[in-house]
Amino acid sequence: MTGVRIRSGPLVGGIIGVSFALVALEIPATTLLTSAALSLASGVAALALMASAAILGGRWPWCERWFGGLDRVYETHKWVGIYALAMASIHLLFKADLRGWETAAILPVASEWTRLARQASFLGLGLIILLALNRNISYAVWRWWHRLSGPFFLIVILHWLSIRSPVHLAGPAGLWLAGLSLLGVSAALWKLVLYPALARHAEYRVVDVLRGGSAVQMDLVPTGRRLDFSAGQFGFLQMKAPGLREPHPFTIAAAASPDGRLRFVIRSLGDFTGRLVATVEPGMLADVYAPYGRFLRKAGAGREIWIAGGVGISPFVAWMDDVGPSRFDTVTLFYFYSPERAFPSVGTLEGIARERGVEFIPIATGPADPGFARRFAEIVDGCDPSTLDLAVCGPSGLVEAVAALAKANGVPPQRLRHEQFAFR
């Protein structure tokens, strides 16, 4: 995605590397290669990663800018949490103490509370990570477990402060952990307490509902102030109705309009979306937190290939709706769909594409379709790959298939960008 500045691997590696290096400055050099040193450094890295996960989970605008979109922030947030659990496991495996180390507790408390904080911090971190990765539980359960990460983070901080350790608060590793912990607690406080009231959001009213199969298209207009957004961005929709109050991210499937209208196309994919598709009606109110995301149409591209899978068509519909000075005669849109679930209908999308001058190619057989590979190769052969913009929004399997096809046709990897299709 355009604008990506920080990636998951370098960030995780950097946090672990800095943590190990700072611990090495605080213990005798003769003990660096011991299991105790490994345990201590892993514990410092685990806390630093947990603090970083809390920072990433705060939805701070500056964080989204640095990572190139909130979808990328959440992807990194997931990997930071996974490696925090890995580091915590190594820390638990070995004893982080050694004869000859000068150890002291930063915050002395009773030994039973120190032991409880140690055990609870590891158990809480493990449960949150494992449940967050389990797609078989409902979103509501996942969300509430995930909200507990803030309180559990405080327990981890208590474990660090109360355990006897050679890491002192005024030392390099201590200052590193103190700074990250302060930012992490601030982010958790913002997300849990202040975000609902102070983040960018506005109240909207549902004015039009169009259902089709297991999906719904809903239009909303602001009841007061409106949100500014660009075509391709998304928002968190929180309906003000019993059973529908969980905030979920959905792409805004239209460009900005004079009346401030928002449009969402939502497919029934779980408990919440199933209820929403079945029960949403005109007149209902909702809070929309937006805009987020950096999946915007790239200016200056010589040739554009847009590839959508299922409801991943939404940002491309918004791009086509954003007429302005844009050209569409250099665009080819491949749409992968299931005939029984396509919404909007292929005919509707074909009409929109025809009106804009977009070459529209619907494919119901998947990315292995020989016609798709043939037309893709023709487009690449007929253009300068260095000016090609290849944009994909759909399931991970589709993104992987497109990446493989692009590589086989000599398209540079940096020409492909994609929106993360799901946050979980």
Side-chain angles (χ1 to χ4, degrees), residues 321-341:
D321 191 46
D322 188 19
V323 286
S326 302
R327 290 184 56 190
F328 293 97
D329 57 344
T330 59
V331 176
T332 297
L333 170 57
F334 293 97
Y335 175 45
F336 292 92
Y337 69 100
S338 299
E340 69 280 1
R341 302 179 66 189

Side-chain angles (χ1 to χ4, degrees), residues 6-16 49 67 75-76 79-80 83:
I6 302 177
R7 296 181 182 275
S8 303
L11 178 68
V12 170
I15 293 171
I16 294 175
L49 288 167
F67 284 82
E75 179 190 35
T76 302
W79 286 110
V80 167
Y83 278 93

Side-chain angles (χ1 to χ4, degrees), residues 167-192:
V167 174
H168 306 292
L169 188 59
L175 293 174
W176 164 251
L177 291 181
L180 286 177
S181 297
L182 181 61
L183 284 174
V185 170
S186 299
L189 179 65
W190 161 260
K191 184 62 171 58
L192 290 174

